[in-house]
Amino acid sequence: MSADAASTSAPVPAAASLPVPVTGWGRTAPTAARPVRPGTYEEAVAAVRGCGARGGIPRGLGRAYGDAAQNAGGTVLDMTGLDRVHAIDADGGIVLCDAGVSLHRLMEVLLPLGWFVPVTPGTRQVTVGGAIGADIHGKNHHVSGSFSRHVLSFELLTADGTIRTVSRGTPLFDATTGGMGLTGVILTATVQLLPVETSLMSVDTERATDLDDLMARLTASDHHYRYSVAWIDLLARGAATGRAVLTRGDHAPLDALPARTRRAPLDFRTRRLPAAPAFLPEGLLNRTTVGLFNELWYRRAPRARTGELQRIPTFFHPLDGVPHWNRVYGRGGFVQYQFVVGHGQEEALRQIVRCVSEHRCPSFLAVLKRFGEADPGWLSFPVPGWTLALDIPAGLPGLGALLDRLDEDVAGAGGRVYLAKDSRLRPELLAAMYPRLDDFRALRAELDPRGVFVSDLARRLAL
């Protein structure tokens, strides 16, 4: 393996003596916690041993939407100080890195060598530790599964201060992948990568007239694409309910590039727009403004276009180009709601889409995807079927009752909600959604009897 000694870490500050407000990316329900940012493994061990009575929870770049990386009255372990890429097997496509390394950093390092991260969500501002803890998924789940499928092993700092090497196929591996940081602090990970010839994507785009048309298109031809996602208009009603723009693609081969681009086929460039203002008027995203946006977005999309070359940030992470885009929802923040229902439960999906549409939820970031085979993580979210994610301003009247109703519909259909995005699920529904919950609780009680690792999410759902 060839070493890459570069590090993106800043000098490690001393632990803060006073608690500071902490929120998820949705900017709802802030709680105060004491931040500690270890810069070495020894400092991480000391931080875990010094968490205090309210315990601690590891945190990466803060992109969990809800309260998974919050810990009211306790400690939050900021793992971004551990961000070294230790070694790269450029022949076999394996990287060994710290858990605080971001997917953005991995792309910068690995793409010039002809390798890409195996799974990326809608943002590259996620740490490797966070990717494992949430067992993230992307547009390629129907082909590649979740992030944990590509993790060969990781080092885990457990509650007793021990650093353990955890391999695939063990109970501790399956409890940690999707375990939301509650089994310990991931320090390093060894990940299998995806070979690519270029840093461009070959993209096909088409419009679907309604939800049934969309599901038919996805079912008929998703297997031809590595990546597939549909933006869905949840304000459309009547015959247009569930109309969508379907975008699918794969990594472009070298011979698909124009001659001028072939000179640097693995060039990885990102573009940043001005950050969203710190303060925006409340109610900026309402049914009128979002309805107009959705209409324009749908109409401007091509009815059918094939082979368009797009850069990786454009295809995977368009919102990363707008720093602090979550501010557009105003001070009240927003709720990101994501659920999955299995194949054969299409009527449940239709019912939920109709319900959201009839409620006139102003969501402009709603996406529908198909999941493939599940991975073994006990609290891992994906199961084979349909997943819908939508954003909703937190101040929408009647939102709590609406989401409670959707939770019941999802659970009744044998589905589940995504814990990395959740901020309000009722705990009595959790066992129905996650059948390995008792196994997770039992292993956690054995591994961490004093409750060193804890979060607002864990307290709320009695994890």
Side-chain angles (χ1 to χ4, degrees):
M1 286 194 172
S2 61
D4 173 16
S7 172
T8 60
S9 63
V12 178
S17 58
L18 296 175
V20 299
V22 180
T23 74
W25 191 246
R27 303 176 74 210
T28 59
T31 56
R34 183 174 66 95
V36 177
R37 187 172 186 259
T40 65
Y41 304 149
E42 292 78 13
E43 289 179 1
V45 171
V48 167
R49 289 176 172 167
C51 278
R54 293 286 288 180
I57 191 71
R59 181 181 175 95
L61 289 166
R63 292 306 177 101
Y65 285 85
D67 53 3
Q70 298 175 213
N71 182 20
T75 300
V76 168
L77 303 170
D78 177 356
M79 299 306 296
T80 60
L82 291 171
D83 63 351
R84 291 163 293 179
V85 177
H86 292 283
I88 301 169
D89 179 350
D91 296 322
I94 297 173
V95 63
L96 170 63
C97 63
D98 283 342
V101 173
S102 69
L103 299 191
H104 173 84
R105 175 62 177 152
L106 285 185
M107 292 177 197
E108 287 182 323
V109 172
L110 297 171
L111 271 168
L113 302 177
W115 297 99
F116 189 63
V117 295
V119 172
T120 177
T123 175
R124 60 188 179 276
Q125 302 302 330
V126 175
T127 63
V128 170
I132 297 171
D135 200 14
I136 61 169
H137 56 272
K139 298 178 176 69
N140 60 339
H141 190 277
H142 64 294
V143 172
S144 302
S146 302
F147 193 86
S148 66
R149 186 178 300 185
H150 311 274
V151 176
L152 305 179
S153 65
F154 52 79
E155 288 185 305
L156 186 72
L157 169 59
T158 52
D160 60 1
T162 301
I163 298 176
R164 310 184 186 202
T165 299
V166 183
S167 300
R168 294 178 57 85
T170 63
L172 187 52
F173 188 99
D174 294 343
T176 302
T177 55
M180 307 310 298
L182 296 171
T183 61
V185 180
I186 299 169
L187 297 177
T188 69
T190 303
V191 182
Q192 179 69 59
L193 305 168
L194 176 71
V196 294
E197 295 182 12
T198 75
S199 61
L200 292 173
M201 306 297 297
S202 177
V203 181
D204 294 353
T205 304
E206 57 192 283
R207 291 195 310 210
T209 57
D210 58 29
L211 182 59
D212 284 341
D213 181 32
L214 173 61
M215 289 193 292
R217 291 170 187 260
L218 288 167
T219 301
S221 53
D222 249 11
H223 60 281
H224 294 306
Y225 299 88
R226 179 177 292 275
Y227 302 98
S228 176
V229 66
W231 169 88
I232 183 170
D233 182 0
L234 292 177
L235 281 174
R237 292 188 288 182
T241 299
R243 67 179 181 177
V245 177
L246 178 55
T247 307
R248 296 181 287 192
D250 208 334
H251 298 276
L254 186 61
D255 59 13
L257 270 57
R260 67 181 183 279
T261 309
R262 292 184 196 178
R263 291 192 290 268
L266 292 165
D267 182 36
F268 177 60
R269 286 178 290 168
T270 61
R271 182 179 303 168
R272 288 172 65 89
L273 299 173
F279 299 103
L280 287 166
E282 293 298 315
L284 181 64
L285 295 182
N286 54 50
R287 290 162 180 159
T288 300
T289 58
V290 173
L292 178 61
F293 171 86
N294 286 3
E295 182 70 27
L296 292 173
W297 190 261
Y298 181 77
R299 294 298 176 189
R300 71 182 293 272
R303 293 184 182 275
R305 180 175 61 199
T306 60
E308 180 190 14
L309 294 178
Q310 294 183 6
R311 296 196 173 275
I312 281 172
T314 302
F315 181 75
F316 288 107
H317 317 118
L319 287 175
D320 279 353
V322 184
H324 307 295
W325 63 262
N326 56 342
R327 294 174 180 171
V328 302
Y329 295 86
R331 294 183 181 181
F334 70 104
V335 172
Q336 175 84 184
Y337 185 73
Q338 184 170 5
F339 68 89
V340 59
V341 293
H343 295 302
Q345 295 294 332
E346 285 77 12
E347 185 53 40
L349 176 62
R350 293 186 188 99
Q351 179 179 331
I352 291 172
V353 169
R354 286 195 298 265
C355 180
V356 172
S357 176
E358 290 167 1
H359 199 83
R360 308 294 289 155
C361 290
S363 176
F364 77 101
L365 291 176
V367 296
L368 182 72
K369 294 179 288 193
R370 292 176 75 238
F371 280 158
E373 182 181 352
D375 289 290
W378 293 348
L379 297 186
S380 183
F381 169 64
V383 295
W386 304 91
T387 181
L388 176 64
L390 59 149
D391 63 302
I392 312 173
L396 183 72
L399 179 59
L402 171 66
L403 295 182
D404 285 346
R405 174 184 169 183
L406 299 189
D407 289 341
E408 296 283 356
D409 291 343
V410 169
R416 59 183 58 164
V417 300
Y418 192 15
L419 297 183
K421 295 184 176 181
D422 178 58
S423 58
R424 27 73 46 210
L425 178 68
R426 302 197 313 275
E428 60 267 24
L429 292 177
L430 192 63
M433 295 180 173
Y434 289 90
R436 299 298 301 271
L437 179 62
D438 286 344
D439 294 328
F440 177 81
R441 285 170 170 162
L443 185 143
R444 185 170 173 238
E446 178 183 350
L447 192 67
D448 184 8
R450 296 185 295 112
V452 171
F453 296 112
V454 66
S455 64
D456 292 353
L457 173 80
R459 292 190 183 97
R460 176 169 55 82
L461 295 178
L463 289 171

